Amino acid sequence: MNTKKSEQLFDEAKKYIPGGVNSPVRAFKSVGGTPHFISSGIGSKMIDADGNEFIDYIGSWGPHIFGHNPEFIKNALMAAIENGTSFGAPTEIEIKMAKLITELVPSVEMVRMVNSGTEATMSAIRAARGCTGKEKIIKFEGCYHGHGDFFLIKAGSGALTFGVPTSPGVTKGNAADTLVADFNNIDSVKNLISQNKNEIAAVIIEPVVGNMGTVRSNDLFIRELRNICSDEKIVLIFDEVMTGFRLAKGGAQEILGIQPDLSTFGKIIGGGLPVGAYGGKKEIMEMVSPSGPVYQAGTLSGNPLAMNAGYASLSYIKENPGIYKILEDKSSYLAAGINDAIKSCGKKFQINRVGSMMTLFFTEEPVNDFNSAIKSDAKLYAKYFHEMLNRGIYLPPAQFEAFFVSTAHSKEDLDKTIAANFESIKKAYN
Ligand SMILES: *Cc1c(COP(=O)(O)O)cnc(C)c1O
C-alpha cells in the first residue's frame, strides 16, 4: 500500500501540531506506523491522501451511524449555511432539537447544548454538585468521560480511597474529589459511599462501556446502582456520549430499562459536527444558569449549523425506528463471521458486542471489567490491526476501543471484512 503522501503530511504536521494530530488516538501510537491522512469519506468508505480506500469501522469514533456524508445531512447543512453560521442569540432550531431529544430519551426533561462530549460531562458534574451541595464524585475504572481534570483519575493503590491523576497537570485536589470504583462491582461502590458518607454528589458511568472496549453493565449491578443513588441522594449520571442514539433511539438506558437523573450526549447527536448535550430531571437542569445559579455558557453552543445537522440525524432516527434492527442484523452477522475466523485458528478470543458496538479482545477469558479487559494482548491487536488495514479495513487503532457498524455497511463490505479477518487473525501470529 502506498502511504508516501500520508508520511509526508505526518512529518509536516508534527512540526506544528503536538504529535501531528489534534486528538491522540489518531496518531497510531498504540499500534505503531504512520496514521493515514484522510481526504474524503462517503458511505461506509474513507479515502486517504494516497488514494487508498478503506471500509471504515470507526465512523469518526461514533458519530457516523449512517456512514459518511449522508445526503440528508449534507442537504440540511447546505440549507442552514445560506442563513448564516452563528448569531450568539437564540434560534428556533434549538427548541426543535431540545424537544426532539426529550421525546427520544424520556428521562431527559430539559437539555442544554454544548460543543463536545467533554463539555457535557464536565457541566453535568457541576450541575450535580451545585444541586446537591456535595463535592465528591465516583467514576469507574476504565470508563472514559472526556478530558476534564476530575475524570483523568485512576484508582489509588491499597488503602487509598481517593484516586490518583493519570496526567500531569491534574491537581491533587481534583484527585481527592474523584473516587474510583470497579465496573460491574456493586460492593466497590457501597464501600466508597460508606467511607464518604453524605459527601458524594454524583456517580458517573458509561452504562455500556465503549472506552475499555465494549463492556455491558450487568442488569443486577446497574439496578442496584440506581437504587443506591436514589437512597443516598446521589445524582446518577449516564454518560451516553457514545451509546446515545446508537444502541437504541433512547440509548443504553432504553435497553437496560434504567432511568438516570442526568445523561450526557455527544457524537451522533451532532450528525458529524461538534456537539454535546447534557440533560435530565427538570429540578436539576433548572439549577443551570440563567434559570439557576450553576454557571455554564458557550459562545458557539447551539450553533445553527451543528443544530441542523444534529436535528436531521435525530429526526431520521425518529422517523426510521427500523434502523436499530438493521444495525443489529449487520452487526451480529459481522460478529459471527469474526467469531468463525477466531475459531478457525483454534482460539477463543472474546468478542463483546452490544448492538452496533463491538470489540475483539485478544484474550480467551470473558471481559466484563477493566481488569479483565487489560488481559488482552494489545501487541497482537496491533499486528491484527495492520493486517486488516493492509486489506482495506480501517479498525480502531487501539485494542481498548469499539468497532462501529453503520447503516451504510453493505453485505459486500461485511463479507470482505470477514474474509480479511480469516487471514489477519492467522497472520497476526507470524
Ligand atoms: C467520546 C466520549 C467522551 C468525550 O467526548 P468528546 O466529544 O471527545 O469530548 C465522553 N464520554 C464518552 C463515553 C465518550 O465515548
Side-chain angles (χ1 to χ4, degrees):
M1 183 178 298
N2 180 13
T3 56
K4 206 163 152 235
K5 183 83 190 168
S6 280
E7 280 160 34
Q8 279 169 2
L9 289 171
F10 194 43
D11 284 342
E12 182 82 352
K14 281 188 284 193
K15 291 184 205 157
Y16 306 107
I17 306 171
V21 292
N22 280 310
S23 194
V25 73
R26 297 177 197 169
F28 278 22
K29 273 209 146 172
S30 71
V31 291
T34 304
H36 292 243
F37 280 66
I38 303 302
S39 51
S40 66
I42 178 79
S44 61
K45 310 279 179 11
M46 282 199 307
I47 294 149
D48 74 9
D50 292 284
N52 302 303
E53 187 180 283
F54 301 95
I55 302 171
D56 173 28
Y57 289 96
I58 66 167
S60 188
W61 296 94
H64 294 324
I65 192 169
F66 312 111
H68 290 271
N69 218 3
E71 205 65 25
F72 68 93
I73 295 180
K74 201 157 75 181
N75 291 342
L77 277 169
M78 307 241 254
I81 212 165
E82 288 296 326
N83 296 321
T85 59
S86 180
F87 310 110
T91 55
E92 190 177 355
I93 185 75
E94 294 164 83
I95 313 171
K96 290 167 78 175
M97 183 72 170
K99 203 168 154 193
L100 183 51
I101 293 166
T102 63
E103 265 178 67
L104 296 176
V105 190
S107 74
V108 175
E109 296 170 346
M110 270 191 155
V111 61
R112 169 60 60 81
M113 304 306 306
V114 292
N115 305 291
S116 69
T118 295
E119 231 187 295
T121 54
M122 287 180 359
S123 308
I125 294 287
R126 185 178 303 148
R129 285 173 165 160
C131 85
T132 58
K134 297 184 279 186
E135 295 194 352
K136 291 184 181 172
I137 61 167
I138 294 178
K139 75 173 286 273
F140 292 86
E141 191 85 324
C143 286
Y144 178 71
H145 305 294
H147 65 86
D149 284 351
F150 44 82
F151 296 124
L152 298 183
I153 308 290
K154 64 178 181 194
S157 56
L160 296 179
T161 74
F162 52 89
V164 292
T166 59
S167 166
V170 174
T171 65
K172 290 189 214 73
N174 272 304
D177 284 336
T178 300
L179 313 173
V180 183
D182 294 326
F183 194 77
N184 271 336
N185 179 344
I186 202 67
D187 288 335
S188 72
V189 180
K190 287 181 182 163
N191 287 342
L192 289 175
I193 292 176
S194 70
Q195 287 159 1
N196 298 272
K197 201 73 187 158
N198 297 322
E199 290 186 275
I200 315 281
V203 171
I204 186 166
I205 189 167
E206 288 181 80
V208 171
V209 194
N211 289 294
M212 53 178 136
T214 307
V215 179
R216 190 189 199 277
S217 59
N218 76 50
D219 290 338
L220 183 61
F221 165 77
I222 203 80
R223 207 172 335 122
E224 285 198 85
L225 186 65
R226 171 66 280 183
N227 292 340
I228 292 171
C229 287
S230 301
D231 293 347
E232 301 284 335
K233 302 202 168 20
I234 294 170
V235 177
L236 177 60
I237 305 171
F238 276 8
D239 181 355
E240 298 233 35
V241 170
M242 188 181 289
T243 52
F245 316 103
R246 172 163 293 279
L247 298 184
K249 70 172 176 41
Q253 54 195 270
E254 181 179 318
I255 63 168
L256 296 169
I258 299 288
Q259 293 218 334
D261 302 307
L262 290 179
S263 302
T264 56
F265 301 100
K267 300 187 173 131
I268 290 173
I269 205 171
L273 272 78
V275 181
Y278 66 106
K281 285 198 174 134
K282 201 168 181 169
E283 72 211 55
I284 303 175
M285 291 308 291
E286 280 188 327
M287 293 291 286
V288 175
S289 55
S291 70
V294 176
Y295 191 69
Q296 188 268 308
T299 301
L300 289 168
S301 293
N303 171 267
L305 297 188
M307 289 302 98
N308 275 285
Y311 186 71
S313 293
L314 300 194
S315 301
Y316 190 94
I317 285 169
K318 185 187 164 192
E319 285 150 25
N320 300 277
I323 63 161
Y324 293 103
K325 172 79 168 71
I326 293 170
L327 286 169
E328 172 64 26
D329 291 348
K330 288 180 192 290
S331 306
S332 66
Y333 180 80
L334 177 61
I338 299 176
N339 210 22
D340 289 342
I342 295 167
K343 278 200 215 135
S344 79
C345 299
K347 296 287 168 184
K348 287 192 215 122
F349 299 137
Q350 304 290 312
I351 300 178
N352 281 11
R353 181 180 74 83
V354 182
S356 56
M357 284 166 63
M358 70 180 90
T359 301
L360 162 51
F361 289 102
F362 282 95
T363 167
E364 303 208 330
E365 285 160 50
V367 174
N368 43 36
D369 60 13
F370 181 71
N371 285 327
S372 46
I374 57 169
K375 288 194 180 137
S376 263
D377 186 340
K379 288 207 179 83
L380 196 53
Y381 181 87
K383 286 191 198 161
Y384 161 77
F385 166 84
H386 281 292
E387 293 295 337
M388 293 293 285
L389 193 68
N390 286 335
R391 289 169 176 77
I393 316 290
Y394 197 106
L395 299 175
Q399 164 72 90
F400 305 105
E401 300 287 352
F403 308 179
F404 297 113
V405 176
S406 76
T407 56
H409 286 92
S410 65
K411 172 126 191 322
E412 193 192 340
D413 291 333
L414 301 176
D415 284 335
K416 202 176 157 202
T417 308
I418 292 167
N421 267 282
F422 271 86
E423 295 169 9
S424 299
I425 295 175
K426 201 166 292 161
K427 271 226 150 180
Y429 291 109
N430 305 321

